[in-house]
């Protein structure tokens, strides 16, 4: 909790204290300073660094496992349709495929779990530490404070995804050859184009976490316990993932935020299939609007006395 206290102190130091001008709307410069303070506080926490470390370790473990299996003369996997871990079949031929495999391996659980931890603690952690009311003393207003928390969570989404991608690219370059690669459609593209598609895939994966971030932020406004908010968010994530695998619920599954997550594989087709990608991004935007609005409605009417 001392880290939360320190974060609140930094945010308060970056903002003018209440006074004769406290009723005025905050300037853009103040807003930027508050956001910067939130970003610095979030990424300095040991918990955040530990989450990023775990995410960076996943591509290392996958790469070493494939390398050992190849050294033993075993096949790294069968050919495949390119959905998710089917990319693993191509890693031994081109290390760039480790990026796609690592993102597919972390997206169903590790990445959203990390986002759920950060989002769930965004408001509830401050309330639990007793620092939330001090943040509201500054002329930010509840709406701007909530937007700042959500922007910080989205920044973590992007950083976490890039950590996985960069770690996978480094490990793939060290353990496997790099060069031109074959798309799922069977066409050959240059390494530069493959690298560009890898970056685009990472951005799509980060955007796929928008819904989880909004859901976690909403849950965070419902309780004063950061641990309860984090556990609830992760629990909802696991529940939705399980429901998405039950055939009897096929009519509802297209509305689950995780249903189109692996559609990023379509960016490795030639030409690219956009249908599921557009559905995924649209669904994430819908979740962001619905749960973002619910979080705003809850937070702006919440009685904050501690």
């Amino acid at each position: 909790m001392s880290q939360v206290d320190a974060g609140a102190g930094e945010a308060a130091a970056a903002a003018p204290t209440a006074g004769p001008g406290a009723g005025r709307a905050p300037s853009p410069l103040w807003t930027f300073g508050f956001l910067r303070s939130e970003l610095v506080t979030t990424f300095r926490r040991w918990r955040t660094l530990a989450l990023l470390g775990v995410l960076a370790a996943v591509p290392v473990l996958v790469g070493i496992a494939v390398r050992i299996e190849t050294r033993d003369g075993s096949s790294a996997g069968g050919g495949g349709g390119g959905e998710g871990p089917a990319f693993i079949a191509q890693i031994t031929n081109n290390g760039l495929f480790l990026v796609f495999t690592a993102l597919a391996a972390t997206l169903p659980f590790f990445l959203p779990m990390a986002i759920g931890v950060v989002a769930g603690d965004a408001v509830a952690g401050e309330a639990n530490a007793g620092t939330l009311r001090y943040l509201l003393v500054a002329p930010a207003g509840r709406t701007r404070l909530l937007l700042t928390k959500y922007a910080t969570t989205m920044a973590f989404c992007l950083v976490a995804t890039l950590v996985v991608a960069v770690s996978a690219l480094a490990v793939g370059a060290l353990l496997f050859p790099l060069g031109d690669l074959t798309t799922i459609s069977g066409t050959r593209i240059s390494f530069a184009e493959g690298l560009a598609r890898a970056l685009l895939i990472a951005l799509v994966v980060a955007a796929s976490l928008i819904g989880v971030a909004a859901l976690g932020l909403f849950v965070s406004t419902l309780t004063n316990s950061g641990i309860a908010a984090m556990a609830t968010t992760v629990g909802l994530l696991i529940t939705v993932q399980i429901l998405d695998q039950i055939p009897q619920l096929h009519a509802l599954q297209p509305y689950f935020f995780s249903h189109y997550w692996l559609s990023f594989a379509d960016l490795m087709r030639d030409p690219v299939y956009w249908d599921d990608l557009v559905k995924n991004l649209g669904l994430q935007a819908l979740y962001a609007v619905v749960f973002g609005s619910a979080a705003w409605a809850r937070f702006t009417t919440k009685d904050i006395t501690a």
Side-chain angles (χ1 to χ4, degrees):
M1 294 305 175
S2 60
Q3 292 171 333
V4 177
D5 292 333
E10 291 180 13
T17 56
R24 299 174 185 172
S27 67
L29 182 61
W30 185 94
T31 302
F32 175 76
F34 187 41
L35 175 59
R36 181 180 61 183
S37 177
E38 280 292 318
L39 290 171
V40 170
T41 300
T42 298
F43 285 99
R44 277 183 176 176
R45 288 173 178 160
W46 284 109
R47 180 182 61 211
T48 303
L49 296 176
L51 289 172
L52 294 176
V54 170
L55 291 173
V58 173
V60 177
L61 295 176
V62 173
I64 292 176
V66 174
R67 182 67 176 175
I68 292 175
E69 187 177 356
T70 304
R71 183 179 300 172
D72 291 341
S74 304
S75 171
E83 284 194 13
F87 281 128
I88 202 170
Q90 304 294 334
I91 295 178
T92 54
N93 298 323
N94 196 316
L96 189 58
F97 276 99
L98 184 58
V99 176
F100 313 135
T101 301
L103 290 172
T106 55
L107 182 56
F109 181 72
F110 291 104
L111 274 171
M113 181 195 69
I115 304 307
V117 169
V118 173
D121 191 57
V123 176
E126 301 282 8
N128 185 56
T131 56
L132 185 57
R133 64 174 179 174
Y134 296 109
L135 289 175
L136 294 176
V137 167
R142 299 192 182 200
T143 299
R144 288 189 183 232
L145 177 59
L146 194 66
L147 288 174
T148 300
K149 292 291 187 180
Y150 187 63
T152 302
T153 304
M154 289 308 304
F156 180 79
C157 291
L158 180 60
V159 170
T161 305
L162 291 178
V163 163
V164 174
V166 171
S167 174
L169 181 61
V171 174
L174 287 173
L175 299 181
F176 307 101
L178 296 176
D180 295 350
L181 63 159
T182 304
T183 66
I184 296 174
S185 304
T187 59
R188 300 247 342 150
I189 60 176
S190 67
F191 174 74
E193 183 178 350
L195 198 59
R197 293 201 186 195
L199 176 60
L200 182 58
I201 285 174
L203 295 177
V204 169
V205 170
S208 298
L209 300 169
I210 291 176
V212 173
L215 175 61
L217 191 65
F218 169 63
V219 173
S220 187
T221 63
L222 299 177
T223 176
N224 291 336
S225 171
I227 295 178
M230 290 184 284
T232 301
T233 303
V234 174
L236 288 172
L237 166 68
I238 295 174
T239 301
V240 169
Q241 297 266 35
I242 294 174
L243 294 177
D244 201 20
Q245 302 301 318
I246 300 177
Q248 289 79 3
L249 298 178
H250 65 89
L252 297 176
Q253 288 166 352
Y255 300 99
F256 295 155
F257 56 76
S258 62
H259 187 70
Y260 295 106
W261 272 354
L262 293 182
S263 63
F264 73 81
D266 290 338
L267 288 170
M268 281 303 296
R269 301 184 188 275
D270 192 16
V272 174
Y273 291 175
W274 293 103
D275 289 352
D276 285 349
L277 286 166
V278 171
K279 289 179 181 177
N280 177 43
L281 296 178
L283 187 62
Q284 302 307 319
L286 178 62
Y287 270 83
V289 170
V290 172
F291 286 102
S293 299
W296 175 82
R298 168 60 180 166
F299 188 58
T300 53
T301 58
K302 186 176 182 179
D303 181 20
I304 300 173
T305 58

